[in-house]
């Protein structure tokens, strides 16, 4: 394996390691947003185009480096740009970042890991790959919609199973839209929360009803696969 194939993935891993080692995580909380909200809104109002481009670029970077601050930044996007534009800019940035880490993982490990798994698993892996290629969009859409699966893991895993880039992009855009809109909408109404004293975590803003709705939506995305399996041979 050539070093240049590994370099992009190693660079992304190094960025995450530095972020955690320097404890930069401490700057991403609602208390910081509360302290900086007036300055941020003033700057966004004065530099709208630069603010949008900067937000998209920053979101793409945090997804590519798998930084654990996406929820707070999505809330901030809704707070600064409103629920609709906040959703649009977040989805664009997240998709660009997801593409970057997908391509880096596929270039570095995709072919090598696939060959190793083929050697170990043989026909079982071939059957799995066929299933993923046939219904990859629905499976990936399910993983994107379910809040239980880490975003960074869903970004990388498809690179090891031969899912085409166009399928990956389509499932990513559609799959992250509902959850992104929920967080952007919550961010749009953050003024009352930020005015309160005490610490509030971004995850505290999600209700059980929202989580259930996203999970049911994820299960619905697998309905075409289930219907396809239920068909009789004579009906296909």
């Amino acid at each position: 394996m050539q070093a240049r194939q590994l370099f992009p993935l190693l660079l992304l891993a190094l960025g995450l390691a530095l972020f955690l080692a320097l404890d930069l995580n401490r700057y991403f909380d609602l208390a910081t947003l509360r302290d900086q909200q007036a300055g941020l809104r003033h700057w966004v109002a004065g530099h709208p185009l630069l603010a949008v481009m900067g937000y998209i670029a920053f979101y793409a970077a945090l997804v590519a480096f798998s930084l654990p601050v996406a929820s707070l930044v999505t809330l901030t996007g809704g707070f600064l740009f409103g629920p609709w534009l906040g959703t649009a800019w977040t989805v664009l940035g997240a998709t660009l970042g997801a593409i970057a880490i997908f391509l880096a993982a596929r270039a570095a490990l995709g072919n090598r890991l696939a060959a190793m798994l083929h050697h170990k698993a043989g026909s079982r892996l071939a059957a799995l790959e066929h299933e993923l290629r046939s219904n990859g969009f629905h499976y990936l859409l399910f993983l994107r919609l379910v809040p239980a699966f880490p975003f960074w893991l869903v970004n990388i895993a498809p690179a090891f199973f031969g899912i085409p880039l166009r399928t990956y992009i389509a499932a990513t855009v559609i799959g992250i839209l509902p959850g992104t809109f929920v967080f952007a909408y919550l961010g749009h109404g953050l003024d009352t929360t930020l005015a309160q004293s005490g610490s509030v975590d971004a995850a505290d803003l999600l209700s059980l009803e929202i989580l259930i709705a996203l999970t049911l939506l994820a299960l619905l995305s697998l309905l075409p696969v289930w219907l396809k399996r239920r068909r009789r041979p004579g009906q296909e």
Side-chain angles (χ1 to χ4, degrees):
M1 181 183 297
Q2 297 181 0
R4 63 183 178 84
Q5 292 178 295
L6 279 173
F7 180 74
L9 191 60
L10 290 175
L11 182 63
L12 296 179
L14 177 61
L16 174 60
L18 286 174
F19 181 87
L20 296 175
L22 297 174
D23 196 25
L24 299 180
N25 196 53
R26 66 185 186 275
Y27 296 111
F28 293 87
D29 56 27
L30 289 178
T32 302
L33 179 59
R34 177 175 55 211
D35 296 339
Q36 303 296 328
Q37 60 177 310
L40 283 172
R41 278 185 159 166
H42 178 75
W43 191 84
V44 168
H47 309 83
L49 181 58
L50 187 59
V52 169
M53 293 176 62
Y55 178 81
I56 293 172
F58 181 76
Y59 209 103
L62 80 84
V63 170
F65 287 101
S66 302
L67 306 183
V69 295
S71 297
L72 189 279
V73 178
T74 305
L75 286 170
T76 305
F79 180 73
L80 295 175
F81 304 110
W84 298 105
L85 289 179
T87 298
W89 307 145
T90 299
V91 168
L92 178 56
T95 302
L96 291 174
I99 291 172
I101 194 170
F102 173 84
L103 294 177
R106 188 168 69 177
L109 301 172
N111 294 333
R112 183 184 179 91
L113 183 61
M116 185 187 307
L117 291 175
H118 270 294
H119 178 71
K120 297 289 185 182
S123 60
R124 287 177 297 174
L125 182 64
L128 175 61
E129 283 187 341
H130 175 73
E131 180 68 19
L132 288 174
R133 287 182 180 275
S134 301
N135 301 298
F137 172 81
H138 300 290
Y139 288 127
L140 184 53
L141 184 61
F142 171 79
L143 294 175
R144 290 295 191 199
L145 286 166
V146 175
F149 296 103
F151 193 66
W152 65 268
L153 181 60
V154 183
N155 288 338
I156 295 177
F160 305 141
F161 292 100
I163 291 182
L165 179 60
R166 63 181 179 275
T167 300
Y168 178 83
I169 294 174
T172 297
V173 171
I174 297 173
I176 66 177
L177 262 173
T180 300
F181 179 76
V182 167
F183 271 94
Y185 185 82
L186 291 173
H188 181 57
L190 267 181
D191 296 85
T192 303
T193 302
L194 293 177
Q196 298 173 355
S197 58
S199 61
V200 180
D201 189 79
D204 296 335
L205 299 175
L206 278 179
S207 66
L208 179 61
E209 289 78 7
I210 291 175
L211 294 175
I212 291 174
L214 291 176
T215 302
L216 290 176
L217 193 60
L219 292 174
L220 188 62
S221 70
L222 290 179
L223 182 61
V225 179
W226 181 79
L227 291 175
K228 188 176 180 179
R229 288 176 177 273
R230 293 280 295 178
R231 288 177 183 171
R232 294 178 181 178
Q235 295 177 309
E236 294 187 1

